[in-house]
Structure formats: structure tokens, C-alpha cells
Amino acid sequence: MNKTEFMRLWDIYSGILTETQREFTDLYFNFDLTVSEIAAEKGVTRQAVSECLQTCKKQLEDLEQKLGFAKNTDKISLEISFMLTDLNKWAEDFKTAHPEIKEDIQKLFEILDKDYSDEVNETLKKQGK
């Protein structure tokens, strides 16, 4: 498992790791500390850090294999991407076929191109997430 794959699973499943596991993996993957640096900082052996990282990788892989949240997220994202691509193509064709409603189609393109990050973040904030 490469670093990017690990971090993706870590983002999804890190809540089930122990505090120590989260701390070690965070220092290693997010802060790019070496096993030796983590061991020195935490007062443990390099072997303890290495074993912790290996155990965490295995746990996260097992969770993904059983639950499939990352795979399902990828699938949903791709489905939405394909749908938006098809919708954009349809809107372009429709705009060409019906120039009399060009302004209405332009509103559709504005919706399709809009960045909804602020709305998503605000909604998640209200939900306490």
C-alpha cells in the first residue's frame, strides 16, 4: 500500500485506531517523520513504531476489505462525474438545438460549474461534522 492509499484509508477509518496508533501514523504519514524520529520523540524503540505502523496498515486494509467505504466513495464520485459529463454534453446539444432558450441553458451551465464547497462545509458544520 502506498502512502496515498494509506492516507485515504486513514482519513476514513482512523477513528477506530487507538490514540497511540493515530499519533504514530499521523507523525509518520502527515508530518513525514521517520521511524527513528518518532521513536526518539515518544521514547519507544524503532521496532515498536515500525510494528505499530504495520499493524495500522493491516487494520485499515482489513476494514476496507470488510466495509468498502473507500471503494464505495470512489464509485459514487465516478458515477457523479459521468453523470455531470453527460449532462453538460446534453445541455450543449440542447442549447444548439434551441437557441431561443439560450439564457435558461446558461443558468444550467452556471449550476453545473458552481463550486458548492462553501455550502457543503456550512452544512457539515451545522451537523457537527
Side-chain angles (χ1 to χ4, degrees):
M1 172 188 329
N2 67 37
K3 182 177 179 177
T4 304
E5 292 168 344
F6 177 86
M7 289 312 303
R8 179 107 195 289
L9 297 181
W10 190 84
D11 286 341
I12 295 170
Y13 300 113
S14 64
I16 62 94
L17 299 175
T18 67
E19 185 176 332
T20 300
Q21 288 174 321
R22 278 193 305 274
E23 186 175 12
F24 284 11
T25 53
D26 190 35
L27 290 170
Y28 186 77
F29 287 102
N30 289 325
F31 291 94
D32 291 325
L33 294 183
T34 66
V35 169
S36 297
E37 291 169 327
I38 297 168
E41 184 175 314
K42 297 299 172 185
V44 298
T45 65
R46 291 183 325 194
Q47 182 176 349
V49 175
S50 182
E51 287 175 3
C52 178
L53 294 173
Q54 291 304 316
T55 299
C56 290
K57 287 180 185 180
K58 177 80 170 106
Q59 281 180 287
L60 298 179
E61 288 173 335
D62 289 348
L63 280 167
E64 176 58 21
Q65 187 175 5
K66 291 174 185 172
L67 301 174
F69 290 143
K71 180 181 177 183
N72 287 336
T73 300
D74 290 345
K75 183 180 175 191
I76 291 167
S77 294
L78 280 171
E79 288 174 353
I80 290 170
S81 178
F82 290 141
M83 178 184 64
L84 290 173
T85 298
D86 287 348
L87 187 54
N88 270 298
K89 288 177 186 176
W90 175 87
E92 278 293 339
D93 292 344
F94 196 82
K95 183 173 85 172
T96 301
H98 301 280
E100 69 278 7
I101 57 171
K102 181 180 176 181
E103 290 177 14
D104 291 325
I105 296 296
Q106 186 57 41
K107 289 178 188 175
L108 175 61
F109 282 118
E110 289 170 12
I111 292 169
L112 291 171
D113 292 336
K114 182 178 175 181
D115 180 357
Y116 286 92
S117 299
D118 291 340
E119 288 91 337
V120 168
N121 290 333
E122 185 62 31
T123 300
L124 291 173
K125 184 179 173 183
K126 287 178 183 176
Q127 295 175 352
K129 297 179 182 177

